Amino acid sequence: MPTRSGVAEGPPAPTWVTPGVTLGTAVLLYALVVGMQLSTSPSLHFPSVLVAIPALVALAFSPPMIISSAVVVTATRWAFLPFDGRIAAASGTTAATLVIAAAACFVVRQRRRESSRLRKVTSVAETAQRAVLRPPPTRLGPFHIAADYRAAAQFARIGGDLYAVVNTAFGVRTLIGDVRGKGLDAVATAAVVLGSFHEAAYDCPTLGSLTDRLEISLRCSLVDTEAFVTAFLVELHPDGLTYALSCGHPAPLILRSDIVSELPAAWGLPLGLRGLAPSVGPVAALTTRLRPGDTLLMYTDGLAEARDAAGDFYPLTRRLAHYGRTQSGPTAPGHLLDWIQTDALDHSGDDTHDDAALLALTWTVE
């Protein structure tokens, strides 16, 4: 819809198409044509060029401005009639101006309708996406938490990557995962895993039994029998004791000052693939102990596999250590994730081909 200034709202326009630039260009063209006509012989015919002004105005303004520009163009052309006496030319310019203005108004109105429809669809989609990928709490016990998601699909908020954090009687349990594939099927699969996790995390006494529940839920819901989900689960206790289990997913990184190390974890098959090896028994999570001030960074391969122009992967471990050296105080999870996403985009030149999910937990003892 148009704003009070008459600017037409619509799909994203090129960066140079702004109301100020558009109006300035139209005024400059008008002044140039009028000036040339007044300073040259009447036999030269420049006013017909003015028919381009309504089309130019339509790039950034709504129908009232387009009609106003058409009126100015028409009045200017007829104002030159006493000098050149070309009634037929003036009539032709007037007709062309009106046709162009009418077509421009139609296009702008269609653009506004499509923009309104897109906003409504986007609003519904964002609501559904927030329901699937719930934002984690900013703090649970001694742990400060932040999450970030960069979807590869333009305008999307989520894709095939997933994360979740819940506070249970067994400790703070976190999940990060990556669905094989993209598109709506990947989002649906992610929703199944997240829904199962939010339900089972409160009942299953161990991470091994929790992954069993996730496996069952996924196999019962998968339409694509070849689909699978890599996942990593962590259970954190207030004293720093940590249990970790990987289902084919990269291990989180521990940032301790400027020292970066992988979180030790037991390894199993990705969710959805356990049926290929039924003889493999449940996996017991490995334990480690964090220290106050440690930050646990969980991530998906969309971040680590971001490539630069030379094809080199983003050096996550080295860049994370660099971040640790630049910080004088405790790590703020939100600031860390913002920095990493920006740094990775700089590395890849904003060339994003995969989703990237990040989840950071900092153990802060106050």
Side-chain angles (χ1 to χ4, degrees), residues 186-199:
V187 175
T189 302
V192 171
V193 175
L194 287 170
S196 179
F197 176 81
H198 281 289
E199 176 184 1

Side-chain angles (χ1 to χ4, degrees), residues 109-348:
R109 288 188 180 277
Q110 288 297 111
R111 184 175 64 191
R112 286 166 50 189
R113 291 193 186 98
E114 292 300 321
S115 176
S116 177
R117 186 179 297 112
L118 177 61
R119 285 197 299 272
K120 291 178 181 178
V121 171
T122 301
S123 177
V124 173
E126 288 182 349
T127 300
Q129 288 171 338
R130 283 194 297 268
V132 172
L133 197 61
R134 307 174 194 175
T138 57
R139 180 168 182 173
L140 287 175
F143 302 103
H144 288 262
I145 306 168
D148 192 53
Y149 197 108
R150 185 191 66 219
Q154 190 178 23
F155 305 123
R157 294 296 181 272
I158 64 170
D161 288 5
L162 55 98
Y163 58 76
V165 181
V166 294
N167 192 16
T168 73
F170 310 105
V172 174
R173 286 179 167 176
T174 68
L175 164 71
I176 196 162
D178 188 354
V179 180
R180 174 186 176 272
K182 296 182 175 65
L184 293 178
D185 289 342
V187 175
T189 302
V192 171
V193 175
L194 287 170
S196 179
F197 176 81
H198 281 289
E199 176 184 1
Y202 296 95
D203 300 328
C204 297
T206 66
L207 292 185
S209 60
L210 178 55
T211 58
D212 290 339
R213 287 276 293 275
L214 297 180
E215 173 74 15
I216 294 172
S217 296
L218 188 59
R219 276 191 288 174
C220 291
S221 304
L222 279 179
V223 176
D224 181 2
T225 56
E226 296 182 357
F228 62 87
V229 181
T230 66
F232 201 103
L233 294 95
V234 178
E235 180 179 299
L236 303 107
H237 294 255
D239 61 355
L241 185 63
T242 303
Y243 297 87
L245 193 157
S246 173
C247 299
H249 195 85
L253 299 175
I254 302 173
L255 174 61
R256 182 174 297 160
S257 184
D258 61 344
I259 300 174
V260 179
S261 60
E262 281 193 353
L263 178 69
W267 286 79
L269 292 173
L271 301 175
L273 294 183
R274 293 190 177 186
L276 300 178
S279 61
V280 177
V283 179
L286 288 186
T287 61
T288 188
R289 189 175 293 275
L290 299 179
R291 299 179 186 176
D294 284 356
T295 295
L296 184 66
L297 176 67
M298 306 177 72
Y299 63 95
T300 59
D301 58 10
L303 177 73
E305 295 180 359
R307 296 174 182 261
D308 61 12
D312 295 327
F313 290 118
Y314 177 65
L316 176 58
T317 301
R318 188 169 73 245
R319 296 302 294 164
L320 190 59
H322 169 77
Y323 176 86
R325 288 192 295 271
T326 63
Q327 302 304 302
S328 57
T331 300
H335 182 269
L336 169 63
L337 298 192
D338 290 341
W339 184 89
I340 289 179
Q341 289 283 34
T342 301
D343 194 54
L345 286 175
D346 291 341
H347 174 83
S348 62

